[in-house]
Amino acid sequence: MNIKLILIIAFSMLYGFFEIFMSRRLKSKRNVSKSGDKRSIWFLTISISIGFWLSFIMASTKMGRIYHWNTFFVTGSILALIGLIIRVTSILTLKQQFTYTVTKIENHELIETGLYKIIRHPGYLGQLIIFLGISTCLSNWLSILLMIIPVLLGYLNRINVEERFMVEQMGQKYLDYQTRTKKLIPM
């Protein structure tokens, strides 16, 4: 097996374990006062799983293959690293406000510092860049599409559920925040 493919799979698995570990760790420490998840976490998990499976299956074929393996591996690795930095930075900025499900916790505050000053969902942006990086490493343009389309659909659903919940919980304060910031891409 190719060392680059081993590295891609290893990074994907380590990243998945990181997210599962953080989810389990945070679940036991939160006092949830209201939930509004509407099963968006399950839809997102299924979307990501489908994206991974389709992407890796397509990468194992010659369809869509790009033969500049080193260039795409390096580019994808850089994207995954940038995405990971954005993801971790967003988690650290939220501190106690960070949850994996759409919930209101005790003493919930609207965070408007760091990346949250310009975009409302930098953690999701980081994850999208990670998945783009992983699929780019596979050197297959169809793999990139098959990863990004279901994952993006999962995140767009999640963002819509989360934003409706935040407006319900914070009202005008969140509506004002929406007008000052971009949803996902800071342009």
Side-chain angles (χ1 to χ4, degrees):
M1 189 182 281
N2 187 317
I3 188 70
K4 292 174 189 164
L5 189 55
I6 292 170
L7 290 172
I8 295 166
I9 293 169
F11 175 81
S12 299
M13 292 178 70
L14 286 173
Y15 176 68
F17 289 135
F18 164 75
E19 292 290 346
I20 291 167
F21 171 77
M22 291 295 293
S23 172
R24 299 287 182 230
R25 184 171 174 254
L26 291 174
K27 197 176 223 179
S28 63
K29 293 185 174 189
R30 297 288 180 252
N31 291 326
V32 174
S33 64
K34 184 162 185 180
S35 178
D37 197 65
K38 300 186 193 283
R39 299 188 182 173
S40 67
I41 192 74
W42 291 108
F43 184 75
L44 182 59
T45 302
I46 291 167
S47 298
I48 291 169
S49 299
I50 289 170
F52 261 93
W53 283 107
L54 292 176
S55 183
F56 276 83
I57 288 169
M58 184 55 66
S60 70
T61 71
K62 291 189 188 268
M63 260 191 333
R65 170 88 44 221
I66 301 167
Y67 291 96
H68 303 286
W69 179 250
N70 289 332
T71 304
F72 275 80
F73 181 78
V74 170
T75 302
S77 297
I78 292 168
L79 283 170
L81 181 61
I82 290 169
L84 187 60
I85 290 168
I86 293 170
R87 175 71 173 161
V88 170
T89 301
S90 71
I91 291 171
L92 293 174
T93 301
L94 287 179
K95 297 177 184 154
Q96 283 81 7
Q97 305 296 317
F98 179 77
T99 62
Y100 274 89
T101 57
V102 178
T103 54
K104 182 177 181 184
I105 60 172
E106 289 180 5
N107 304 318
H108 199 108
E109 299 174 22
L110 181 61
I111 305 297
E112 298 184 61
T113 59
L115 295 171
Y116 290 91
K117 195 178 231 178
I118 53 174
I119 56 175
R120 297 189 297 277
H121 305 282
Y124 299 152
L125 175 62
Q127 287 182 306
L128 285 166
I129 294 171
I130 289 168
F131 297 130
L132 176 63
I134 290 169
S135 60
T136 300
C137 282
L138 296 171
S139 290
N140 186 307
W141 66 272
L142 289 172
S143 288
I144 296 169
L145 287 176
L146 291 172
M147 173 77 84
I148 293 305
I149 291 171
V151 169
L152 184 60
L153 291 174
Y155 278 108
L156 291 176
N157 174 65
R158 175 62 173 230
I159 288 169
N160 288 331
V161 168
E162 189 171 314
E163 297 229 321
R164 281 193 304 271
F165 182 75
M166 294 300 286
V167 169
E168 285 175 18
Q169 299 306 305
M170 297 189 163
Q172 192 61 43
K173 185 174 186 174
Y174 196 79
L175 290 170
D176 292 343
Y177 177 62
Q178 285 179 313
T179 60
R180 290 190 306 274
T181 58
K182 299 292 182 183
K183 188 181 287 190
L184 195 62
I185 299 173
M187 294 171 127

